[in-house]
Amino acid sequence: MVTFRVIPGGRLSGNCAVPGDKSISHRSIMLGSLAEGTSHIRGFLEGEDALATLNAFRAMGVEISGPENGQVIVSGVGMHGLRAPRESIYLGNSGTSMRLLAGLLAGQAFDTQLTGDESLSRRPMERVAGPLRQMGARIEARPGGLPPLAIAGGQVLKGIRYDMPMASAQVKSCVLLAGLYARGVTTVTEPAPTRDHTERMLAGFGYTVTRRGATVELEGGGKLVACDIDVPADISSAAFFMVAASIAPGSDITLPHVGINPTRTGVIDILRLMGANISLDNPREVGGEPVADIRVRHAPLSGIDIPQHLVPLAIDEFPVLFVAAACARGRTVLSGAEELRVKESDRIQVMADGLSALGIEAVSRPDGIEIHGGTLAGGRVVSHGDHRIAMAFSVAGLRASEDIVIEDCANVATSFPGFLQIAGDCGLRVSLEQE
Ligand code: S3P
């Protein structure tokens, strides 16, 4: 059991370099493995989730060297070069690995089984199994559509038109990756914009992807050509420090080289609506993804009604945005965010419970939460093994009156290796609790 203790107070200053983007890291291994030729990746996230994807492709016969200081070299085997793994593929905590791999593996000649840890084993997989079956895949889950997944190889897939019932980049990406192996054209339409790293990276690997409004389309049977990938810093990891600097008086930090893909920047928009002082300096494009240095200075925040269209664009940042809301003047209301209940934990309930334990009025609703800004006391909270909950409460300590103890923090390493060190260097007072 890993427990964090946060000493109250502090302010942030200096440069705060956070690790590589998780979503882009996963996709760089997947597409690099299926490409013809050798792909060089820089800035790869050496967190457990992305490493789960890397190990999965190693288990399917792909030669991958690294990661070493974020550098990975993938010797692509081509679209049909993967080999059957010797045993079932364990994906730890990583929903992205399981959902994207399901699509890819549905098109292979061999059978596979995908398993995960306790949290992943509770996450819904019917959302990918359903459309894959429509394409002709044979895929079985536990009752309720839960992992493990058993995927039968050797099926003939056909392209479909899929209208996604929820805004999910994982479902979209899963169907598109299966579409690479399908006969004809695969078309996915999303109810609201979601992260588009798969589409951008497919194009970077030379695959034709057509985008028209909310629809993305590709034709199966093409090939991927190796390329070099520069993974920007993860805006989802930067978000903890964006909120931290906003709520801690006297703070002024710069987060260098952060990905600011417009399908990911909801956190910036929401914080600015609350009054945050955020500037994007030196904007540039790196390997098909927009990047900037993000400067954040302390500013008093006010509660807001979070606009619906920003919800999918900030979907991973809500735990720490709720901490911002707890430190803001007035009431913040989030709705239309039922997806938060099926993340690594039920992020609505777990955050409502934790904030309430710290003396904040936080009322959960089926599809969101209402938070009344106030004074954070100290206390004990439980992250339920959810990395982003653990890091969100680490940030809350900046404005708490007493220590905050956070239980069950081991999974911080899934998305943010070195969090305690980087946080400490920037001014957060969070450390491992000595038993
Ligand atoms: C991800 C998509 C999001 C996000 C997850 C990573 C991706 O999930 O929450 O952390 O890399 O495609 P959904 O698409 O299910 O919302």
Side-chain angles (χ1 to χ4, degrees), residues 22-23 27 96 99 167-170 195 315-316 343:
K22 185 153 76 76
S23 295
R27 288 157 172 81
T96 309
R99 296 207 178 104
S168 167
Q170 294 181 348
R195 65 192 68 195
I315 195 68
D316 288 340
K343 293 294 179 188

Side-chain angles (χ1 to χ4, degrees), residues 22-24 26-27 96 99-100 123 127 167-171 173 194-195 197-198 315-316 339 343-344 347 388:
K22 185 153 76 76
S23 295
I24 297 176
H26 282 297
R27 288 157 172 81
T96 309
R99 296 207 178 104
L100 270 58
R123 298 184 64 188
R127 55 180 58 199
S168 167
Q170 294 181 348
V171 175
S173 301
T194 67
R195 65 192 68 195
H197 306 299
T198 302
I315 195 68
D316 288 340
E339 278 293 304
K343 293 294 179 188
E344 286 82 328
R347 287 183 173 161
R388 298 203 200 278

Side-chain angles (χ1 to χ4, degrees), residues 268-276 302-307 309-310:
I268 297 176
D269 299 335
I270 292 169
L271 283 173
R272 279 180 172 160
L273 288 172
M274 296 176 81
S302 304
I304 57 165
D305 284 356
I306 296 174
H309 75 276
L310 293 177

Side-chain angles (χ1 to χ4, degrees), residues 141-156:
R142 264 198 304 141
L146 301 177
L149 294 180
I151 302 165
Q155 310 302 308
V156 177

Side-chain angles (χ1 to χ4, degrees), residues 62-248:
V62 182
E63 208 179 293
I64 303 174
S65 61
E68 226 181 274
N69 291 325
Q71 304 221 28
V72 180
I73 302 172
V74 185
S75 305
V77 295
M79 293 302 294
H80 300 282
L82 296 178
R83 292 204 305 266
R86 273 189 236 281
E87 44 197 37
S88 60
I89 297 176
Y90 178 69
L91 298 168
N93 196 245
S94 180
T96 309
S97 306
M98 188 169 284
R99 296 207 178 104
L100 270 58
L101 271 174
L104 245 167
L105 294 173
Q108 305 302 318
F110 50 85
D111 298 349
T112 36
Q113 288 84 39
L114 302 179
T115 65
D117 71 3
E118 207 186 309
S119 152
L120 182 52
S121 299
R122 283 196 302 265
R123 298 184 64 188
M125 292 298 147
E126 193 52 36
R127 55 180 58 199
V128 288
L132 290 176
R133 287 192 196 104
Q134 286 179 33
M135 298 177 81
R138 274 181 48 212
I139 174 162
E140 277 169 33
R142 264 198 304 141
L146 301 177
L149 294 180
I151 302 165
Q155 310 302 308
V156 177
L157 302 186
K158 59 175 194 304
I160 56 168
R161 300 184 78 84
Y162 191 60
D163 252 323
M164 282 200 296
M166 76 286 283
S168 167
Q170 294 181 348
V171 175
K172 172 177 64 174
S173 301
C174 168
V175 174
L176 291 175
L177 291 173
L180 298 176
Y181 290 93
R183 290 196 180 149
V185 174
T186 296
T187 307
V188 184
T189 302
E190 50 188 4
T194 67
R195 65 192 68 195
D196 64 356
H197 306 299
T198 302
E199 298 91 304
R200 285 174 187 250
M201 203 183 286
L202 279 169
F205 276 85
Y207 211 98
T208 303
V209 176
T210 310
R211 302 170 69 172
R212 251 176 282 108
T215 295
V216 48
E217 193 168 279
L218 57 76
E219 187 166 357
K223 66 173 189 168
L224 300 166
V225 182
C227 68
D228 293 347
I229 295 166
D230 191 342
V231 182
D234 197 328
I235 190 169
S236 298
S237 296
F240 298 104
F241 298 101
M242 290 166 55
V243 171
S246 297
I247 64 172

